[in-house]
PDB file of all heavy atoms in Angstrom:
ATOM      1  N   ASP H   1      -5.369  14.382   0.347  1.00 72.00           N
ATOM      2  CA  ASP H   1      -4.593  14.994  -0.743  1.00 72.00           C
ATOM      3  C   ASP H   1      -4.052  13.870  -1.607  1.00 72.00           C
ATOM      4  O   ASP H   1      -2.935  13.391  -1.411  1.00 72.00           O
ATOM      5  CB  ASP H   1      -3.458  15.851  -0.179  1.00 72.00           C
ATOM      6  CG  ASP H   1      -2.773  16.702  -1.244  1.00 72.00           C
ATOM      7  OD1 ASP H   1      -2.931  16.386  -2.435  1.00 72.00           O
ATOM      8  OD2 ASP H   1      -2.091  17.678  -0.892  1.00 72.00           O
ATOM      9  N   SER H   2      -4.853  13.436  -2.558  1.00 74.00           N
ATOM     10  CA  SER H   2      -4.497  12.249  -3.336  1.00 74.00           C
ATOM     11  C   SER H   2      -3.260  12.469  -4.186  1.00 74.00           C
ATOM     12  O   SER H   2      -2.448  11.554  -4.356  1.00 74.00           O
ATOM     13  CB  SER H   2      -5.677  11.837  -4.223  1.00 74.00           C
ATOM     14  OG  SER H   2      -6.046  12.892  -5.084  1.00 74.00           O
ATOM     15  N   ARG H   3      -3.088  13.677  -4.725  1.00 74.00           N
ATOM     16  CA  ARG H   3      -1.923  13.911  -5.586  1.00 74.00           C
ATOM     17  C   ARG H   3      -0.620  13.751  -4.817  1.00 74.00           C
ATOM     18  O   ARG H   3       0.301  13.067  -5.263  1.00 74.00           O
ATOM     19  CB  ARG H   3      -1.986  15.319  -6.188  1.00 74.00           C
ATOM     20  CG  ARG H   3      -0.829  15.598  -7.150  1.00 74.00           C
ATOM     21  CD  ARG H   3      -0.713  17.070  -7.500  1.00 74.00           C
ATOM     22  NE  ARG H   3       0.402  17.314  -8.394  1.00 74.00           N
ATOM     23  CZ  ARG H   3       1.669  17.387  -8.023  1.00 74.00           C
ATOM     24  NH1 ARG H   3       1.979  17.217  -6.749  1.00 74.00           N
ATOM     25  NH2 ARG H   3       2.636  17.607  -8.901  1.00 74.00           N
ATOM     26  N   ALA H   4      -0.541  14.390  -3.635  1.00 74.00           N
ATOM     27  CA  ALA H   4       0.677  14.278  -2.832  1.00 74.00           C
ATOM     28  C   ALA H   4       0.866  12.853  -2.322  1.00 74.00           C
ATOM     29  O   ALA H   4       2.003  12.381  -2.211  1.00 74.00           O
ATOM     30  CB  ALA H   4       0.623  15.257  -1.655  1.00 74.00           C
ATOM     31  N   SER H   5      -0.215  12.159  -2.028  1.00 77.00           N
ATOM     32  CA  SER H   5      -0.102  10.796  -1.515  1.00 77.00           C
ATOM     33  C   SER H   5       0.369   9.824  -2.592  1.00 77.00           C
ATOM     34  O   SER H   5       1.084   8.867  -2.297  1.00 77.00           O
ATOM     35  CB  SER H   5      -1.453  10.336  -0.946  1.00 77.00           C
ATOM     36  OG  SER H   5      -1.822  11.132   0.151  1.00 77.00           O
ATOM     37  N   TRP H   6      -0.029  10.059  -3.832  1.00 78.00           N
ATOM     38  CA  TRP H   6       0.422   9.176  -4.918  1.00 78.00           C
ATOM     39  C   TRP H   6       1.822   9.532  -5.394  1.00 78.00           C
ATOM     40  O   TRP H   6       2.678   8.657  -5.528  1.00 78.00           O
ATOM     41  CB  TRP H   6      -0.556   9.258  -6.098  1.00 78.00           C
ATOM     42  CG  TRP H   6      -1.801   8.467  -5.916  1.00 78.00           C
ATOM     43  CD1 TRP H   6      -3.048   8.946  -5.622  1.00 78.00           C
ATOM     44  CD2 TRP H   6      -1.943   7.044  -5.987  1.00 78.00           C
ATOM     45  NE1 TRP H   6      -3.954   7.925  -5.509  1.00 78.00           N
ATOM     46  CE2 TRP H   6      -3.307   6.744  -5.733  1.00 78.00           C
ATOM     47  CE3 TRP H   6      -1.061   5.997  -6.249  1.00 78.00           C
ATOM     48  CZ2 TRP H   6      -3.790   5.441  -5.732  1.00 78.00           C
ATOM     49  CZ3 TRP H   6      -1.542   4.697  -6.246  1.00 78.00           C
ATOM     50  CH2 TRP H   6      -2.898   4.428  -5.995  1.00 78.00           C
ATOM     51  N   LEU H   7       2.053  10.817  -5.638  1.00 74.00           N
ATOM     52  CA  LEU H   7       3.295  11.237  -6.296  1.00 74.00           C
ATOM     53  C   LEU H   7       4.343  11.788  -5.347  1.00 74.00           C
ATOM     54  O   LEU H   7       5.513  11.885  -5.704  1.00 74.00           O
ATOM     55  CB  LEU H   7       2.983  12.291  -7.374  1.00 74.00           C
ATOM     56  CG  LEU H   7       2.051  11.827  -8.491  1.00 74.00           C
ATOM     57  CD1 LEU H   7       1.798  12.971  -9.459  1.00 74.00           C
ATOM     58  CD2 LEU H   7       2.638  10.627  -9.222  1.00 74.00           C
ATOM     59  N   GLY H   8       3.937  12.181  -4.143  1.00 73.00           N
ATOM     60  CA  GLY H   8       4.905  12.703  -3.201  1.00 73.00           C
ATOM     61  C   GLY H   8       4.820  14.216  -3.074  1.00 73.00           C
ATOM     62  O   GLY H   8       3.943  14.875  -3.640  1.00 73.00           O
ATOM     63  N   TYR H   9       5.769  14.761  -2.355  1.00 68.00           N
ATOM     64  CA  TYR H   9       5.792  16.191  -2.059  1.00 68.00           C
ATOM     65  C   TYR H   9       5.938  16.996  -3.343  1.00 68.00           C
ATOM     66  O   TYR H   9       6.627  16.601  -4.273  1.00 68.00           O
ATOM     67  CB  TYR H   9       6.957  16.494  -1.103  1.00 68.00           C
ATOM     68  CG  TYR H   9       6.988  17.912  -0.606  1.00 68.00           C
ATOM     69  CD1 TYR H   9       6.070  18.350   0.339  1.00 68.00           C
ATOM     70  CD2 TYR H   9       7.937  18.811  -1.082  1.00 68.00           C
ATOM     71  CE1 TYR H   9       6.099  19.655   0.801  1.00 68.00           C
ATOM     72  CE2 TYR H   9       7.970  20.116  -0.621  1.00 68.00           C
ATOM     73  CZ  TYR H   9       7.044  20.530   0.312  1.00 68.00           C
ATOM     74  OH  TYR H   9       7.077  21.815   0.762  1.00 68.00           O
ATOM     75  N   TYR H  10       5.294  18.147  -3.387  1.00 63.00           N
ATOM     76  CA  TYR H  10       5.309  18.984  -4.584  1.00 63.00           C
ATOM     77  C   TYR H  10       6.744  19.354  -4.981  1.00 63.00           C
ATOM     78  O   TYR H  10       7.562  19.705  -4.135  1.00 63.00           O
ATOM     79  CB  TYR H  10       4.508  20.264  -4.340  1.00 63.00           C
ATOM     80  CG  TYR H  10       3.050  20.007  -4.084  1.00 63.00           C
ATOM     81  CD1 TYR H  10       2.541  19.939  -2.801  1.00 63.00           C
ATOM     82  CD2 TYR H  10       2.180  19.795  -5.145  1.00 63.00           C
ATOM     83  CE1 TYR H  10       1.189  19.691  -2.571  1.00 63.00           C
ATOM     84  CE2 TYR H  10       0.841  19.537  -4.935  1.00 63.00           C
ATOM     85  CZ  TYR H  10       0.346  19.492  -3.641  1.00 63.00           C
ATOM     86  OH  TYR H  10      -0.976  19.237  -3.420  1.00 63.00           O
ATOM     87  N   SER H  11       7.008  19.267  -6.254  1.00 61.00           N
ATOM     88  CA  SER H  11       8.283  19.606  -6.908  1.00 61.00           C
ATOM     89  C   SER H  11       9.388  18.596  -6.628  1.00 61.00           C
ATOM     90  O   SER H  11      10.473  18.707  -7.177  1.00 61.00           O
ATOM     91  CB  SER H  11       8.776  21.008  -6.492  1.00 61.00           C
ATOM     92  OG  SER H  11       9.342  21.006  -5.189  1.00 61.00           O
ATOM     93  N   ARG H  12       9.133  17.592  -5.766  1.00 63.00           N
ATOM     94  CA  ARG H  12      10.178  16.627  -5.446  1.00 63.00           C
ATOM     95  C   ARG H  12       9.802  15.203  -5.863  1.00 63.00           C
ATOM     96  O   ARG H  12      10.680  14.374  -6.052  1.00 63.00           O
ATOM     97  CB  ARG H  12      10.487  16.654  -3.948  1.00 63.00           C
ATOM     98  CG  ARG H  12      11.199  17.931  -3.518  1.00 63.00           C
ATOM     99  CD  ARG H  12      11.402  17.946  -2.008  1.00 63.00           C
ATOM    100  NE  ARG H  12      12.238  19.053  -1.577  1.00 63.00           N
ATOM    101  CZ  ARG H  12      11.796  20.274  -1.341  1.00 63.00           C
ATOM    102  NH1 ARG H  12      10.522  20.552  -1.499  1.00 63.00           N
ATOM    103  NH2 ARG H  12      12.616  21.220  -0.945  1.00 63.00           N
ATOM    104  N   PHE H  13       8.519  14.892  -5.949  1.00 66.00           N
ATOM    105  CA  PHE H  13       8.057  13.559  -6.324  1.00 66.00           C
ATOM    106  C   PHE H  13       8.710  12.481  -5.459  1.00 66.00           C
ATOM    107  O   PHE H  13       9.223  11.483  -5.957  1.00 66.00           O
ATOM    108  CB  PHE H  13       8.319  13.293  -7.812  1.00 66.00           C
ATOM    109  CG  PHE H  13       7.535  14.193  -8.713  1.00 66.00           C
ATOM    110  CD1 PHE H  13       8.130  15.280  -9.333  1.00 66.00           C
ATOM    111  CD2 PHE H  13       6.177  13.972  -8.915  1.00 66.00           C
ATOM    112  CE1 PHE H  13       7.392  16.125 -10.143  1.00 66.00           C
ATOM    113  CE2 PHE H  13       5.432  14.809  -9.731  1.00 66.00           C
ATOM    114  CZ  PHE H  13       6.050  15.895 -10.354  1.00 66.00           C
ATOM    115  N   GLN H  14       8.711  12.712  -4.160  1.00 69.00           N
ATOM    116  CA  GLN H  14       9.319  11.777  -3.218  1.00 69.00           C
ATOM    117  C   GLN H  14       8.436  11.698  -1.988  1.00 69.00           C
ATOM    118  O   GLN H  14       7.890  12.700  -1.524  1.00 69.00           O
ATOM    119  CB  GLN H  14      10.730  12.252  -2.836  1.00 69.00           C
ATOM    120  CG  GLN H  14      11.547  11.255  -2.035  1.00 69.00           C
ATOM    121  CD  GLN H  14      11.273  11.317  -0.541  1.00 69.00           C
ATOM    122  OE1 GLN H  14      10.902  12.362  -0.046  1.00 69.00           O
ATOM    123  NE2 GLN H  14      11.463  10.218   0.145  1.00 69.00           N
ATOM    124  N   GLY H  15       8.289  10.469  -1.468  1.00 71.00           N
ATOM    125  CA  GLY H  15       7.506  10.279  -0.261  1.00 71.00           C
ATOM    126  C   GLY H  15       6.095   9.791  -0.502  1.00 71.00           C
ATOM    127  O   GLY H  15       5.383   9.477   0.448  1.00 71.00           O
ATOM    128  N   GLY H  16       5.691   9.710  -1.769  1.00 78.00           N
ATOM    129  CA  GLY H  16       4.369   9.206  -2.080  1.00 78.00           C
ATOM    130  C   GLY H  16       4.371   7.704  -2.302  1.00 78.00           C
ATOM    131  O   GLY H  16       5.395   7.024  -2.173  1.00 78.00           O
ATOM    132  N   PHE H  17       3.205   7.174  -2.649  1.00 77.00           N
ATOM    133  CA  PHE H  17       3.078   5.725  -2.822  1.00 77.00           C
ATOM    134  C   PHE H  17       3.949   5.210  -3.963  1.00 77.00           C
ATOM    135  O   PHE H  17       4.496   4.103  -3.883  1.00 77.00           O
ATOM    136  CB  PHE H  17       1.612   5.364  -3.080  1.00 77.00           C
ATOM    137  CG  PHE H  17       1.391   3.892  -3.253  1.00 77.00           C
ATOM    138  CD1 PHE H  17       1.368   3.048  -2.150  1.00 77.00           C
ATOM    139  CD2 PHE H  17       1.220   3.337  -4.516  1.00 77.00           C
ATOM    140  CE1 PHE H  17       1.176   1.687  -2.300  1.00 77.00           C
ATOM    141  CE2 PHE H  17       1.021   1.977  -4.674  1.00 77.00           C
ATOM    142  CZ  PHE H  17       0.997   1.150  -3.571  1.00 77.00           C
ATOM    143  N   VAL H  18       4.092   5.999  -5.027  1.00 79.00           N
ATOM    144  CA  VAL H  18       4.894   5.559  -6.173  1.00 79.00           C
ATOM    145  C   VAL H  18       6.349   5.347  -5.773  1.00 79.00           C
ATOM    146  O   VAL H  18       6.961   4.326  -6.109  1.00 79.00           O
ATOM    147  CB  VAL H  18       4.784   6.580  -7.321  1.00 79.00           C
ATOM    148  CG1 VAL H  18       5.733   6.209  -8.451  1.00 79.00           C
ATOM    149  CG2 VAL H  18       3.356   6.645  -7.843  1.00 79.00           C
ATOM    150  N   SER H  19       6.931   6.307  -5.039  1.00 78.00           N
ATOM    151  CA  SER H  19       8.327   6.162  -4.625  1.00 78.00           C
ATOM    152  C   SER H  19       8.486   5.031  -3.607  1.00 78.00           C
ATOM    153  O   SER H  19       9.478   4.299  -3.625  1.00 78.00           O
ATOM    154  CB  SER H  19       8.846   7.478  -4.041  1.00 78.00           C
ATOM    155  OG  SER H  19       8.119   7.843  -2.885  1.00 78.00           O
ATOM    156  N   ILE H  20       7.504   4.875  -2.707  1.00 77.00           N
ATOM    157  CA  ILE H  20       7.555   3.777  -1.737  1.00 77.00           C
ATOM    158  C   ILE H  20       7.480   2.431  -2.455  1.00 77.00           C
ATOM    159  O   ILE H  20       8.189   1.478  -2.114  1.00 77.00           O
ATOM    160  CB  ILE H  20       6.425   3.915  -0.705  1.00 77.00           C
ATOM    161  CG1 ILE H  20       6.679   5.135   0.183  1.00 77.00           C
ATOM    162  CG2 ILE H  20       6.308   2.653   0.151  1.00 77.00           C
ATOM    163  CD1 ILE H  20       5.536   5.453   1.112  1.00 77.00           C
ATOM    164  N   LEU H  21       6.624   2.355  -3.471  1.00 78.00           N
ATOM    165  CA  LEU H  21       6.516   1.120  -4.256  1.00 78.00           C
ATOM    166  C   LEU H  21       7.836   0.804  -4.944  1.00 78.00           C
ATOM    167  O   LEU H  21       8.280  -0.355  -4.951  1.00 78.00           O
ATOM    168  CB  LEU H  21       5.398   1.270  -5.289  1.00 78.00           C
ATOM    169  CG  LEU H  21       5.210   0.102  -6.260  1.00 78.00           C
ATOM    170  CD1 LEU H  21       4.836  -1.165  -5.501  1.00 78.00           C
ATOM    171  CD2 LEU H  21       4.150   0.440  -7.295  1.00 78.00           C
ATOM    172  N   ALA H  22       8.476   1.809  -5.508  1.00 77.00           N
ATOM    173  CA  ALA H  22       9.754   1.590  -6.194  1.00 77.00           C
ATOM    174  C   ALA H  22      10.818   1.077  -5.219  1.00 77.00           C
ATOM    175  O   ALA H  22      11.554   0.129  -5.523  1.00 77.00           O
ATOM    176  CB  ALA H  22      10.210   2.884  -6.863  1.00 77.00           C
ATOM    177  N   LEU H  23      10.914   1.703  -4.045  1.00 74.00           N
ATOM    178  CA  LEU H  23      11.902   1.276  -3.058  1.00 74.00           C
ATOM    179  C   LEU H  23      11.604  -0.130  -2.538  1.00 74.00           C
ATOM    180  O   LEU H  23      12.520  -0.926  -2.295  1.00 74.00           O
ATOM    181  CB  LEU H  23      11.938   2.267  -1.901  1.00 74.00           C
ATOM    182  CG  LEU H  23      12.450   3.672  -2.237  1.00 74.00           C
ATOM    183  CD1 LEU H  23      12.270   4.608  -1.055  1.00 74.00           C
ATOM    184  CD2 LEU H  23      13.915   3.621  -2.662  1.00 74.00           C
ATOM    185  N   THR H  24      10.325  -0.433  -2.356  1.00 74.00           N
ATOM    186  CA  THR H  24       9.944  -1.763  -1.889  1.00 74.00           C
ATOM    187  C   THR H  24      10.303  -2.832  -2.900  1.00 74.00           C
ATOM    188  O   THR H  24      10.827  -3.899  -2.549  1.00 74.00           O
ATOM    189  CB  THR H  24       8.438  -1.811  -1.599  1.00 74.00           C
ATOM    190  OG1 THR H  24       8.099  -0.769  -0.678  1.00 74.00           O
ATOM    191  CG2 THR H  24       8.046  -3.144  -0.999  1.00 74.00           C
ATOM    192  N   LEU H  25      10.063  -2.551  -4.171  1.00 74.00           N
ATOM    193  CA  LEU H  25      10.413  -3.508  -5.218  1.00 74.00           C
ATOM    194  C   LEU H  25      11.921  -3.692  -5.316  1.00 74.00           C
ATOM    195  O   LEU H  25      12.404  -4.811  -5.548  1.00 74.00           O
ATOM    196  CB  LEU H  25       9.839  -3.042  -6.559  1.00 74.00           C
ATOM    197  CG  LEU H  25       8.310  -3.097  -6.683  1.00 74.00           C
ATOM    198  CD1 LEU H  25       7.866  -2.531  -8.024  1.00 74.00           C
ATOM    199  CD2 LEU H  25       7.807  -4.523  -6.498  1.00 74.00           C
ATOM    200  N   LEU H  26      12.666  -2.605  -5.130  1.00 73.00           N
ATOM    201  CA  LEU H  26      14.122  -2.726  -5.150  1.00 73.00           C
ATOM    202  C   LEU H  26      14.610  -3.624  -4.014  1.00 73.00           C
ATOM    203  O   LEU H  26      15.514  -4.452  -4.191  1.00 73.00           O
ATOM    204  CB  LEU H  26      14.768  -1.333  -5.034  1.00 73.00           C
ATOM    205  CG  LEU H  26      14.744  -0.465  -6.292  1.00 73.00           C
ATOM    206  CD1 LEU H  26      15.303   0.916  -5.992  1.00 73.00           C
ATOM    207  CD2 LEU H  26      15.557  -1.125  -7.407  1.00 73.00           C
ATOM    208  N   TYR H  27      14.004  -3.442  -2.827  1.00 70.00           N
ATOM    209  CA  TYR H  27      14.387  -4.298  -1.695  1.00 70.00           C
ATOM    210  C   TYR H  27      14.042  -5.757  -1.981  1.00 70.00           C
ATOM    211  O   TYR H  27      14.831  -6.657  -1.716  1.00 70.00           O
ATOM    212  CB  TYR H  27      13.665  -3.829  -0.427  1.00 70.00           C
ATOM    213  CG  TYR H  27      13.847  -4.767   0.741  1.00 70.00           C
ATOM    214  CD1 TYR H  27      15.008  -4.732   1.496  1.00 70.00           C
ATOM    215  CD2 TYR H  27      12.863  -5.699   1.069  1.00 70.00           C
ATOM    216  CE1 TYR H  27      15.181  -5.599   2.566  1.00 70.00           C
ATOM    217  CE2 TYR H  27      13.035  -6.566   2.127  1.00 70.00           C
ATOM    218  CZ  TYR H  27      14.192  -6.511   2.873  1.00 70.00           C
ATOM    219  OH  TYR H  27      14.366  -7.373   3.908  1.00 70.00           O
ATOM    220  N   TRP H  28      12.854  -5.993  -2.543  1.00 72.00           N
ATOM    221  CA  TRP H  28      12.433  -7.359  -2.843  1.00 72.00           C
ATOM    222  C   TRP H  28      13.367  -8.000  -3.862  1.00 72.00           C
ATOM    223  O   TRP H  28      13.759  -9.165  -3.719  1.00 72.00           O
ATOM    224  CB  TRP H  28      11.003  -7.342  -3.365  1.00 72.00           C
ATOM    225  CG  TRP H  28      10.515  -8.693  -3.779  1.00 72.00           C
ATOM    226  CD1 TRP H  28      10.167  -9.733  -2.963  1.00 72.00           C
ATOM    227  CD2 TRP H  28      10.354  -9.165  -5.114  1.00 72.00           C
ATOM    228  NE1 TRP H  28       9.787 -10.818  -3.707  1.00 72.00           N
ATOM    229  CE2 TRP H  28       9.888 -10.503  -5.035  1.00 72.00           C
ATOM    230  CE3 TRP H  28      10.544  -8.588  -6.370  1.00 72.00           C
ATOM    231  CZ2 TRP H  28       9.626 -11.262  -6.163  1.00 72.00           C
ATOM    232  CZ3 TRP H  28      10.268  -9.339  -7.497  1.00 72.00           C
ATOM    233  CH2 TRP H  28       9.822 -10.661  -7.394  1.00 72.00           C
ATOM    234  N   ILE H  29      13.752  -7.239  -4.870  1.00 71.00           N
ATOM    235  CA  ILE H  29      14.679  -7.762  -5.885  1.00 71.00           C
ATOM    236  C   ILE H  29      16.027  -8.093  -5.261  1.00 71.00           C
ATOM    237  O   ILE H  29      16.624  -9.142  -5.514  1.00 71.00           O
ATOM    238  CB  ILE H  29      14.835  -6.748  -7.026  1.00 71.00           C
ATOM    239  CG1 ILE H  29      13.521  -6.626  -7.808  1.00 71.00           C
ATOM    240  CG2 ILE H  29      15.958  -7.162  -7.968  1.00 71.00           C
ATOM    241  CD1 ILE H  29      13.522  -5.498  -8.818  1.00 71.00           C
ATOM    242  N   ALA H  30      16.509  -7.162  -4.400  1.00 68.00           N
ATOM    243  CA  ALA H  30      17.840  -7.351  -3.802  1.00 68.00           C
ATOM    244  C   ALA H  30      17.885  -8.551  -2.861  1.00 68.00           C
ATOM    245  O   ALA H  30      18.945  -9.154  -2.666  1.00 68.00           O
ATOM    246  CB  ALA H  30      18.253  -6.089  -3.052  1.00 68.00           C
ATOM    247  N   THR H  31      16.749  -8.913  -2.267  1.00 69.00           N
ATOM    248  CA  THR H  31      16.746 -10.019  -1.308  1.00 69.00           C
ATOM    249  C   THR H  31      16.382 -11.358  -1.938  1.00 69.00           C
ATOM    250  O   THR H  31      16.408 -12.380  -1.240  1.00 69.00           O
ATOM    251  CB  THR H  31      15.753  -9.727  -0.170  1.00 69.00           C
ATOM    252  OG1 THR H  31      14.458  -9.417  -0.723  1.00 69.00           O
ATOM    253  CG2 THR H  31      16.239  -8.554   0.671  1.00 69.00           C
ATOM    254  N   THR H  32      16.042 -11.357  -3.211  1.00 72.00           N
ATOM    255  CA  THR H  32      15.643 -12.616  -3.839  1.00 72.00           C
ATOM    256  C   THR H  32      16.585 -13.073  -4.946  1.00 72.00           C
ATOM    257  O   THR H  32      16.552 -14.253  -5.318  1.00 72.00           O
ATOM    258  CB  THR H  32      14.219 -12.505  -4.430  1.00 72.00           C
ATOM    259  OG1 THR H  32      14.166 -11.380  -5.327  1.00 72.00           O
ATOM    260  CG2 THR H  32      13.189 -12.327  -3.327  1.00 72.00           C
ATOM    261  N   ILE H  33      17.422 -12.197  -5.442  1.00 71.00           N
ATOM    262  CA  ILE H  33      18.317 -12.596  -6.526  1.00 71.00           C
ATOM    263  C   ILE H  33      19.515 -13.352  -5.966  1.00 71.00           C
ATOM    264  O   ILE H  33      19.845 -13.272  -4.779  1.00 71.00           O
ATOM    265  CB  ILE H  33      18.792 -11.370  -7.338  1.00 71.00           C
ATOM    266  CG1 ILE H  33      19.548 -10.390  -6.428  1.00 71.00           C
ATOM    267  CG2 ILE H  33      17.634 -10.695  -8.019  1.00 71.00           C
ATOM    268  CD1 ILE H  33      20.094  -9.198  -7.174  1.00 71.00           C
ATOM    269  N   SER H  34      20.187 -14.062  -6.840  1.00 71.00           N
ATOM    270  CA  SER H  34      21.327 -14.890  -6.443  1.00 71.00           C
ATOM    271  C   SER H  34      22.582 -14.041  -6.276  1.00 71.00           C
ATOM    272  O   SER H  34      22.628 -12.868  -6.668  1.00 71.00           O
ATOM    273  CB  SER H  34      21.576 -15.966  -7.501  1.00 71.00           C
ATOM    274  OG  SER H  34      21.918 -15.363  -8.738  1.00 71.00           O
ATOM    275  N   VAL H  35      23.614 -14.662  -5.713  1.00 70.00           N
ATOM    276  CA  VAL H  35      24.887 -13.975  -5.494  1.00 70.00           C
ATOM    277  C   VAL H  35      25.515 -13.560  -6.816  1.00 70.00           C
ATOM    278  O   VAL H  35      26.083 -12.471  -6.952  1.00 70.00           O
ATOM    279  CB  VAL H  35      25.845 -14.873  -4.685  1.00 70.00           C
ATOM    280  CG1 VAL H  35      27.213 -14.210  -4.560  1.00 70.00           C
ATOM    281  CG2 VAL H  35      25.269 -15.157  -3.307  1.00 70.00           C
ATOM    282  N   ASP H  36      25.422 -14.435  -7.831  1.00 75.00           N
ATOM    283  CA  ASP H  36      26.003 -14.113  -9.131  1.00 75.00           C
ATOM    284  C   ASP H  36      25.356 -12.873  -9.734  1.00 75.00           C
ATOM    285  O   ASP H  36      26.035 -12.023 -10.326  1.00 75.00           O
ATOM    286  CB  ASP H  36      25.845 -15.306 -10.079  1.00 75.00           C
ATOM    287  CG  ASP H  36      26.700 -16.501  -9.658  1.00 75.00           C
ATOM    288  OD1 ASP H  36      27.726 -16.267  -8.990  1.00 75.00           O
ATOM    289  OD2 ASP H  36      26.328 -17.640  -9.988  1.00 75.00           O
TER     290      ASP H  36
END
């Protein structure tokens, strides 16, 4: 089910690769930026 795997559960757009990518990038940003 490529649509659900890319975009997530129907009507929620959560749990798919796009949302996982967004959360992963947020974690990467949070762990690499400076204290300031």
Side-chain angles (χ1 to χ4, degrees):
D1 190 342
S2 58
R3 183 193 179 281
S5 297
W6 281 105
L7 300 178
Y9 186 74
Y10 296 97
S11 77
R12 290 176 172 85
F13 295 102
Q14 189 275 332
F17 181 77
V18 174
S19 62
I20 292 173
L21 176 62
L23 294 173
T24 305
L25 291 177
L26 284 175
Y27 172 80
W28 176 73
I29 292 171
T31 53
T32 55
I33 60 177
S34 63
V35 175
D36 292 334

